[in-house]
């Protein structure tokens, strides 16, 4: 399994068609990735922990009304997890021949971008959990301005993508 590239190298899949509407006519996708699935761990852990807690409390509490309220509260946690999964499925970090794009949002789509020629510094960092699970964070800087795209968290294959982007910046 790897990141998706325009040439089909990596995972063997074509890059998502939904990305094409954000590309300029002369622009070519070089690499496209979703955030690492580790971004879903907190919401998944809360939903699972809530399920265990509600199950135990329902078994020990004889009051049906309280049990019903607890199950409704757990349903909210489950809906929150489902919402995060939907958002994760449509969020992409895209490296093109001319720009870096970060496209997010299920209902409200946002497209943050940074032209390659405006990138003055780019680094990545990996926390200990990131090193264990295979994700990192990109920190992108431009000429003294705050940009819409300055940090991209939970990037899979950060070393490979970092080298790819650096190769494009310094050609």
């Amino acid at each position: 399994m790897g990141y998706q590239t325009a040439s089909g190298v990596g995972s063997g899949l074509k890059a998502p068609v939904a990305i094409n509407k954000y590309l300029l006519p002369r622009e070519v996708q070089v690499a496209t990735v979703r955030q690492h699935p580790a971004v879903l761990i907190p919401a998944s852990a809360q939903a699972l922990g809530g399920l265990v807690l509600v199950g135990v409390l329902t078994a020990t509490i004889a009051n049906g009304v309280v049990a019903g309220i607890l199950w409704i509260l757990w349903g909210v946690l489950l809906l929150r997890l489902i919402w995060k999964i939907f958002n994760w499925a449509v969020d992409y970090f895209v490296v093109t021949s001319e720009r870096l794009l970060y496209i997010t949002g299920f209902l409200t789509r946002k497209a943050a971008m940074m032209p390659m020629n405006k990138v003055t510094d780019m680094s990545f960092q990996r926390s200990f959990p990131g090193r264990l699970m295979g994700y990192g964070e990109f920190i992108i800087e431009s000429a003294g301005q705050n940009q819409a795209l300055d940090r991209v968290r939970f990037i899979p294959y950060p070393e490979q993508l970092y080298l790819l982007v650096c190769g494009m910046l310094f050609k």
Side-chain angles (χ1 to χ4, degrees):
M1 184 173 190
Y3 56 89
Q4 298 173 353
T5 63
S7 64
V9 176
S11 66
L13 301 173
K14 286 189 174 184
V17 176
I19 301 303
N20 290 336
K21 63 182 159 188
Y22 297 100
L23 299 180
L24 300 171
R26 67 186 179 282
E27 211 167 19
V28 176
Q29 285 184 44
V30 176
T32 301
V33 294
R34 280 192 178 105
Q35 284 185 308
H36 193 278
V39 75
L40 301 172
I41 289 175
S44 299
Q46 290 170 356
L48 183 60
L51 177 62
V52 170
L53 182 64
V54 169
V56 168
L57 291 176
T58 301
T60 59
I61 295 175
N63 188 341
V65 173
V66 173
I69 292 171
L70 289 174
W71 282 106
I72 290 171
L73 291 174
W74 177 76
V76 170
L77 285 176
L78 182 62
L79 288 174
R80 180 175 171 263
L81 172 60
I82 292 168
W83 179 255
K84 291 205 175 266
I85 291 170
F86 278 141
N87 274 314
W88 171 80
V90 297
D91 291 357
Y92 291 99
F93 177 67
V94 183
V95 179
T96 73
S97 55
E98 299 182 25
R99 302 182 290 170
L100 301 173
L101 290 158
Y102 188 45
I103 301 165
T104 60
F106 180 67
L107 291 180
T108 303
R109 297 291 281 168
K110 294 183 209 172
M113 73 94 181
M114 171 85 67
M116 287 288 195
N117 61 3
K118 297 289 183 184
V119 176
T120 58
D121 188 28
M122 181 173 160
S123 62
F124 80 92
Q125 61 186 19
R126 295 182 86 177
S127 63
F128 182 69
R131 290 177 60 192
L132 289 176
M133 291 188 259
Y135 66 84
E137 175 181 18
F138 282 0
I139 300 144
I140 304 162
E141 296 178 16
S142 67
Q145 300 176 354
N146 287 337
Q147 297 291 331
L149 182 61
D150 61 350
R151 288 186 181 266
V152 184
R153 293 175 173 85
F154 292 96
I155 291 293
Y157 320 106
E159 287 94 354
Q160 293 93 331
L161 286 173
Y162 178 76
L163 291 173
L164 177 76
V165 173
C166 285
M168 294 178 66
L169 289 173
F170 299 114
K171 54 179 165 168

